[in-house]
Amino acid sequence: MKSVLQITLGILLAGLITLLVKIGYANYVEYRVTQELNELAMQQKQAQLVRQQAAKDRQRAEYQAQQLARQDKVKRQQIAKQQEIARIRKTEAWRKYYLVPEDCKNFKSDEHMVTCINQKADLKAEFDRTYLPENIRY
């Protein structure tokens, strides 16, 4: 009877040891799975942060591009305004510079008209060649 009891106790002890090993292994597997899930969650969080930073960088770049475009537009408008003012000043200077000769106020013939128009064109070309807006005072 002693040997049956010893065999039974041995079997129970072996079963208990097997159960403890299975519990330990299950805990180890659970620990590793939890660790892997935490690492995966951290990687996803980092990826999300990278995406958010990229979105912020894109927004910043778009904002800077818009600012540059606005500045460029303002600069182009200023240049256009300055060019228009210069054109008006030059036109006004030409108007003050060129006086129609009395002889060309009434054309006597086609030939006379051509002569007057050519004289005016020559004077205009000379004016355009020598016109310096910074020397003109208004």
Side-chain angles (χ1 to χ4, degrees):
M1 170 105 165
K2 200 174 184 187
S3 67
V4 173
L5 189 56
Q6 286 176 340
I7 292 173
T8 305
L9 284 175
I11 292 172
L12 284 175
L13 186 58
L16 183 60
I17 291 173
T18 304
L19 180 63
L20 290 175
V21 168
K22 284 183 178 183
I23 290 172
Y25 181 73
N27 285 340
Y28 172 75
V29 169
E30 180 184 359
Y31 168 76
R32 289 296 297 154
V33 167
T34 303
Q35 205 173 26
E36 291 293 325
L37 288 174
N38 287 340
E39 286 179 26
L40 182 60
M42 189 178 294
Q43 288 173 355
Q44 288 176 343
K45 188 173 184 177
Q46 287 174 343
Q48 182 180 8
L49 290 174
V50 167
R51 284 191 301 271
Q52 289 173 346
Q53 186 62 41
K56 286 179 184 178
D57 291 344
R58 276 192 307 277
Q59 288 175 341
R60 187 178 303 113
E62 288 173 7
Y63 176 76
Q64 289 172 344
Q66 289 172 350
Q67 290 297 93
L68 288 174
R70 283 188 195 111
Q71 291 171 355
D72 186 51
K73 181 179 179 182
V74 167
K75 190 179 282 186
R76 281 186 278 118
Q77 287 173 340
Q78 289 172 341
I79 290 170
K81 186 176 181 180
Q82 290 170 351
Q83 288 174 337
E84 180 63 14
I85 290 170
R87 186 193 62 75
I88 290 170
R89 285 184 178 169
K90 185 176 180 182
T91 301
E92 184 64 21
W94 167 249
R95 189 186 62 76
K96 289 178 182 179
Y97 175 79
Y98 179 72
L99 298 173
V100 178
E102 286 296 322
D103 185 43
C104 289
K105 288 186 178 180
N106 290 316
F107 302 124
K108 297 175 180 111
S109 67
D110 288 345
E111 204 173 275
H112 180 245
M113 178 183 70
V114 170
T115 302
C116 289
I117 290 173
N118 285 339
Q119 285 176 349
K120 183 178 180 180
D122 291 343
L123 283 172
K124 179 70 166 123
E126 177 69 18
F127 175 83
D128 288 342
R129 195 168 35 78
T130 60
Y131 176 76
L132 299 172
E134 61 273 0
N135 294 338
I136 306 294
R137 301 280 184 237
Y138 295 99

